Every structure is written in C-alpha cells, then in structure tokens.
Amino acid sequence: MNNKQRIRLIITIFLMPLMASAQKKTISQRVDSLLRLMTLDEKIGQLNQYSGKQVTGPESKVKTDLINDIRNGRVGSMLNVKGVKDTREIQAVAMQSRLKIPLLFSLDVIHGYKTVFPIPLAEAASWDLDAIRLSAHIAAKEAAAAGIHWTFAPMVDIARDPRWGRIMEGAGEDTYLGSLIAVARVKGFQGEQLGGTDAVMACAKHFAGYGAAMAGRDYNAVDMSEHQLWETYLPPFKAAADAGVATFMNSFNTLNGIPATGNSYLQRNILKRKWNYQGFVVSDWGSIGEMVPWGFANNDADAAEKAIKAGSDMDMESRTYKSYLAKLVKEGKVPEALIDDAVKRILYKKFELGLFDNPYKFSDAKREADVLNDGGHKTIARNVARKSIVLLKNQGNVLPLTKSKTKIALIGPLVKSKRDMDGSWTVNADTTQITSLYEGVKGKLAKKTELLYEKGCNISGNDKPDFTEALRIAGQADIVVMALGETWDMSGEAKSRTNIHLPGQQEALFNAVKATGKPVVVVLMAGRPLIFSDIAAKANAIVYAWWLGDEAGNAIADVLFGDYNPSGKLPVTFPRNEGQIPLGYTYYNTGRPVKNPENIIYKSAYIDSPNTPQYAFGYGLSYTSFSYTDLTLSAAKMHHTDNVTVSFRLTNTGKYAGEEVVQLYVHDEVASVVRPVKELKGFQKVFLKAGESKTVSFVINKEKLSFYNSKLQWAAEPGNFEIMIGTASDDIKLTAEMELL
Ligand code: GLC
C-alpha cells in the first residue's frame, strides 16, 4: 500500500466517522437551538399532519383553515400533496411562517409512484431481495422527484389470513422472509443515507399486530400471546428499525385490549426504550380520535393525552393534537417535555433531509420531468413482475406456448383489463401506461396471427351469463388462456372478504370452457390467495399473476411463451377453503398429529377437509426440474459458540435454464416451549443452466436455532434439530439430524 492509499485509509477509518458524528451533533445542536425559539403553539404545529385535496380516509369533523395554519407554523406535514408544482406552492406558504420550518410531504408510495410495480405480496413471491430493493429504489426516485419526502411504506405486517384485504400490501406469512424483505424495502426507499434527492424516508407500519385482526376483518381487535407477538409479529419491525427506517406508523387495532395508538408498551417500552429508536411515530389516519369509539378514551382531549403519553409523535388527521394539546400542557396534564421529545424527533428528520438548507430541494421541475419519463423504469418493472409470477400447475407441459402454429383463445373478464393490473394502493395509476394481458400476448405473436378473444362473463355479480360466444371461440382454438380473479378494489384496505373464491360466475365460465375438451391455461390475478378448487383440479396449467403493475401483460406473456422461466414461490399459504383459515406452514404437531389418517379417529383434523392447504408456503414450479442430492453437515453436534455448514448438490435436470429458490427449514424437536414442525431459516435463489450442478451451502448458527422461551428470552436450547432442505415447505428433499450441545 503506498502512502496515498495509507492516508486515504486513515481518513476513512478515523476522520469520516468523526465528521459524520460531527454532522449528527450539528443536527442535534441545530434541533435544540431551534426548539428553544419555538412557542408551545409552534411546537404542537409540528405534530399535526393533514391530507391535501385527495382524502384517503374518514373526513375529520374538525374544520381548519389549512393554508392559514401552515402560514402560522401550525402544520408539520402534509400527505396526499404530490408533484413539484403543488409541493413548491405549499412549501412557499410554510416559508412565510415565523420560523420558516419546512413541511414534510408524504404519500402512500406502496409499490411505485409513476411506474407501478407488482403489489408487495407479489414481489415477495420473487424471493429476490435485490429485485425488491430495486423496486423500492425506483419508487423512491420517482416520488422524490415529484416533491415527496416520505412514503408510508413498507407495510411489514405479517399476515396469515387471506380474508384480510391488506394481505396484498405486505410480504406474506413468514417472519424470516418478511424481516429480510422489510430491510430490502427500507434500504430501497431510503438508500444508504437520507438526504439524497433519489430517496425518501420510509415508514415501518402498522405497529403492531395489525395483520392478525380477528376474523380477518380490517380495523378489528387483535388478541395474541406475548410469545406470538415477539416471535412472529415484532421481528420485521425490529429489522426495519435496525435498518434505520426513519419513521414508524402505529395501527388501528387494539393489541390485547389497548389501542396501538395509545399503547405505551409498544411505542415507548419496546420501540423507543428497548430498541432505542430515534425516529418518530406517526399515527394512522385518525387513529388517535378512534380511541373514543374503541372505548379507551372518554373524548378527543383524553385521546390526545393518551396518545402523546404513549409515544405517538405525529397526529395524522385526527386533529386532536391541534385542538387539545396546548390546553393539556397548560393544565399540567401533559408535560411539555413530551411535546419537546416528539418535536425534536420530527425536526431531526427535516434537518437530515436537508430541508432547512433548501426547503425546495425535492421540488425541481426538470428533475421531475427527467426521472418520471425514464423509460428504463418500465424495463425494471417488467423484470420484477416476471420474477413475481408463480407457476402453480403445468400438466403435460402445456406451457410454455409456442408463438406460431397455435391458435390461442383468450377468455375472461381480466384479459383486456388495465386498471386491475395495478391493484390497490396506487397514487398515480395511469391506465395509459398499463399493458393488458391481451396486449402482452398480442405483442408476442406475428402480426398476422389471429388471436381469439371473449370476455365470457363479468368479474362479479350473479347475473345469468351467456357463455355461448366464449365456447364458440374455445371450439376454434388449439388452446385457451383464461384470465380470472379479482378487480383492483377487491383487496386492499377495508376490503375483507368472508368468501375468497373467484367472484361472480368465473368458475362456472372456467368449467364450461374446460368441458369443451380444449387444454386450458388459467392466469389468476388477485391481491390475495384465492380459493379455486375446480380450477386447481381441472386446469391444465395455472399461473398466479397477482397484480403485477404497469408491465403485467408483458411479464405474463414472457412467462406464457417461455421468454422467462417462472421462478416465483408462494410467500403465503393458499387454503382449500375458508374453514381452514388461519392456515400456515408453521403449524404445531399437536399431541394427536395426523399421521395415519385412515385408522385414527381421535386426531387433530377435520372430518370434512384435509388439514393440508391447496398450495403450501414456498411452493412454485419451473419449466425445468431440479434434483437435490448429497446433503452433508460439517458436524452432527454443535456448541452454542460454533456453527455448522449444511451443503447439498443442486442440479438442473430439465431442458430449460432456470432459477430455484432452495429453502432451509429447521425443527427444534423438543423445547421448553413447543416449536412449529418447521420454520424457514434460510433461502437462496440459484440460477442453473440446463444440466448444470452447483453445491449450495447454508451456515447454521445459534441464532437460527433460537426462539422465545417460556420467559420470553431469545435463546437456543440444547437438543436435537431436524435440518430440512426443500423446494417448498411441504416438499422437503433432504433432511438430517443435528444436536446442539
Ligand atoms: C390509511 C392506511 C395507512 C396509510 C394512511 C395514509 O388508512 O391504514 O396504511 O398509510 O391511511 O393514507
């Protein structure tokens, strides 16, 4: 190493951290000095967040002159104001205030701003953390170019109930996968450090337990053991906090009787003390005021007091902080120190974003035009979408289709749909940007190739449909491709369903078309796992295409015609019927396991349904096949301080190159708290050419064997562990025993 390199190394090792901590100290000092200048009114102003013109929640009963409040420093943030023009205009009003504290502009950029990517649950099916991070990065880049500082994403709620419409917005049922995806999305949205104009603040939501709403009904109560909370629902939030997520959002639900918004165990004990979280917490829309109908607060003033004491820093749209906090402080009911703490957390982020140095930093019209018209984003969206598709069935290898000599009939209510491809939670859905399945397939075929099409039925409603035309074109075709599922507003917030079969007459349409005897490929598009037992049994091939965003039609066509070999795996269990819900792969063996179903009556099972799902967590097919052989462990016994390497040989035994998501599962056979029959503790997405082999390894350490014991301590206990390598949670290829000493 020459002198120049040596000097550079010294600077990197010693001076950079000092400069960074100096910069941080500078921000803290700037925050403190600004706070000293603020009146109580101005401090409370920072805790108020209002929606712009587009209201995405219940209208508040408290009317306010927003522009005047902004001008008087009584607003800290706006949501649902987007675009350089509007954000610049509103920010200019804030700059008229006495202390010129800039506003934060926030928006639900959940899966894309202008370029709409697959819904988060679809992206989770890719098991491709780089692709997921890139998707969030592009969303952040576009949002930041449009004047947005802060997105209310990622939603990191673990969800195991497909009746709950918001299952579409998260990463599925698994804590391990969900935690890694949470980190990928936080890093994608925020970049390595806040302040760049290609990044936005992220928001881990909804803290906590929202995905376990009773009966899958949105906004309902949540009741669970401390053990379940710590083991299943908190880890993705902890992962997001450790990844530096700038903000948290609390949730509408109660947790064991206490609304999350007024829950100091969650927001103060766990988040701000135990996890030492330095960011700030925003309430969910109106959730502070909702503690009154919950029966947890006497009135809005009581709700405001309970919320600020519990650690809810910013009030989204309940307007209770605006209305009552000053009075509560003056009455001595709320210490001003609590207000100060909340204000400092918020101001710190505004400094970090660089908004005090330049309040219009994110509102640059030229950058907005350049970034929002970057055609490369669609290419990325198409690639992420292809990776998110799950091949559920391919009987007789009817897929991939050939591009010539095959007369295809496209039938179904979603064949030509555009808006539905973007799913729910889009803030800029521009249907002119969306490629339908029809257009995607058409684009694959030679110009003169005839493509038959018939809608067949409406997507919902029970009007007696007439399938005549659909059956006529099916009769003319060599193969039928059907596009069925949900409309974009059948999943998402406030979209819980008790019946998650295909709506309307879609399955009847499928059965009628199938009865023609033609091979039928079904493409299912939805925001959640659906139940489709006839299709599962009778279709020749099934492709689960979720809601894939602007590039849906092209991505699905890429898979149907083999231009991309499907590699997705389900991030959530698909039940056979609603009666099985909640159903997941981390079930317990019970004292009466279903071992030999024939001859045991008294077993933990149903008399009218198998226990097993229609499709299991981790399941997904490929156009090629893979073999798993030669499992070895570097040691059969492991001390707490050691680790063991698990290796095996993966071979592509088919004729297509492809990717396989190999999954590592662990089962702690005997413990002080009964353990699930298996838990995901590792995965790798491996690309292999046809005929190629590769040794794949996982390292097992104490962390992967640990769990929350009966005292809620995170620990690994000595004993035997089953180590499993699988291509799905219900398709284990290799197993071995290992002992922890
Ligand atoms: C909604 C959602 C939340 C969203 C917020 C702002 O009610 O629960 O996820 O970020 O309001 O739109």
Side-chain angles (χ1 to χ4, degrees), residues 477-535:
D478 299 316
I479 189 165
V480 178
V481 175
M482 300 187 77
L484 309 170
E486 288 184 315
T487 53
W488 67 271
D489 56 355
M490 288 181 177
S491 283
E493 183 174 357
K495 307 292 186 200
S496 296
R497 292 173 59 190
T498 58
N499 170 345
I500 57 172
H501 289 65
L502 270 64
Q505 301 293 321
Q506 296 181 79
E507 275 211 277
L509 173 65
F510 163 77
N511 283 316
V513 169
K514 189 69 187 102
T516 64
K518 292 297 169 80
V520 179
V521 174
V522 177
V523 179
L524 289 168
M525 303 161 171
R528 69 174 89 213
L530 293 176
I531 290 170
F532 45 93
S533 26
D534 276 0
I535 291 169

Side-chain angles (χ1 to χ4, degrees), residues 56 79 108 152 166 205-206 249 252 284-285 316 493:
T56 51
L79 70 146
D108 290 286
F152 298 132
R166 298 196 78 165
K205 71 184 187 182
H206 305 78
M249 182 185 291
F252 292 118
D284 201 341
W285 186 296
M316 180 196 294
E493 183 174 357

Side-chain angles (χ1 to χ4, degrees), residues 418-441:
K418 286 176 175 277
R419 176 65 192 87
D420 297 313
M421 300 304 103
D422 274 2
S424 52
W425 278 122
T426 54
V427 285
N428 242 8
D430 172 359
T431 49
T432 65
Q433 299 299 316
I434 301 170
T435 303
S436 67
L437 174 58
Y438 184 87
E439 291 165 332
V441 171

Side-chain angles (χ1 to χ4, degrees), residues 274-507:
K274 186 175 178 65
W275 294 353
N276 189 29
Y277 183 65
Q278 300 302 310
F280 69 87
V281 178
V282 63
S283 73
D284 201 341
W285 186 296
S287 67
I288 296 175
E290 290 178 9
M291 292 198 282
V292 177
W294 267 117
F296 188 72
N298 292 306
N299 50 46
D300 280 354
D302 186 28
E305 179 180 350
K306 287 184 160 80
I308 193 74
K309 285 180 172 177
S312 288
D313 299 305
M314 186 179 276
D315 168 13
M316 180 196 294
E317 271 296 356
S318 87
R319 306 188 185 190
T320 57
Y321 281 11
K322 162 196 167 61
S323 306
Y324 301 103
L325 268 192
K327 185 166 176 291
L328 289 162
V329 171
K330 286 168 187 150
E331 289 169 352
K333 290 182 179 173
V334 170
E336 187 160 354
L338 288 188
I339 309 288
D340 290 351
D341 176 63
V343 175
K344 286 168 70 174
R345 290 169 181 268
I346 293 163
L347 293 179
Y348 195 98
K349 292 303 169 196
K350 294 185 176 182
F351 276 110
E352 252 188 314
L353 288 169
L355 293 176
F356 280 95
D357 302 327
N358 176 3
Y360 306 102
K361 175 177 175 181
F362 288 74
S363 302
D364 175 314
K366 183 178 179 322
R367 184 172 61 238
E368 181 179 41
D370 292 347
V371 171
L372 296 193
N373 295 305
D374 182 338
H377 295 174
K378 272 186 173 299
T379 308
I380 294 170
R382 179 170 179 166
N383 192 33
V384 175
R386 305 190 316 185
K387 289 168 177 263
S388 304
I389 292 170
V390 184
L391 179 62
L392 296 178
K393 187 177 182 182
N394 190 17
Q395 204 166 40
N397 294 322
V398 286
L399 291 178
L401 304 173
T402 54
K403 290 174 185 167
S404 60
K405 301 193 301 301
T406 307
K407 186 172 276 194
I408 299 170
L410 291 175
I411 297 175
L414 290 175
V415 169
K416 288 197 171 183
S417 167
K418 286 176 175 277
R419 176 65 192 87
D420 297 313
M421 300 304 103
D422 274 2
S424 52
W425 278 122
T426 54
V427 285
N428 242 8
D430 172 359
T431 49
T432 65
Q433 299 299 316
I434 301 170
T435 303
S436 67
L437 174 58
Y438 184 87
E439 291 165 332
V441 171
K442 189 85 178 147
K444 292 288 184 184
L445 304 174
K447 288 272 175 292
K448 62 184 186 328
T449 308
E450 187 190 7
L451 183 55
L452 302 167
Y453 163 70
E454 177 58 36
K455 185 179 175 185
C457 70
N458 290 327
I459 201 159
S460 59
N462 287 312
D463 48 315
K464 183 88 187 74
D466 173 3
F467 299 150
T468 311
E469 196 45 28
L471 299 182
R472 187 181 66 76
I473 66 163
Q476 293 173 7
D478 299 316
I479 189 165
V480 178
V481 175
M482 300 187 77
L484 309 170
E486 288 184 315
T487 53
W488 67 271
D489 56 355
M490 288 181 177
S491 283
E493 183 174 357
K495 307 292 186 200
S496 296
R497 292 173 59 190
T498 58
N499 170 345
I500 57 172
H501 289 65
L502 270 64
Q505 301 293 321
Q506 296 181 79
E507 275 211 277

Side-chain angles (χ1 to χ4, degrees), residues 72-101:
N72 290 301
R74 289 199 284 268
V75 181
S77 169
M78 293 294 293
L79 70 146
N80 298 332
V81 174
K82 60 193 179 193
V84 162
K85 178 178 172 301
D86 287 358
T87 53
R88 187 173 270 277
E89 196 178 291
I90 301 284
Q91 193 71 290
V93 175
M95 288 304 110
Q96 296 167 26
S97 64
R98 186 175 76 89
L99 294 171
K100 301 185 183 341
I101 298 175

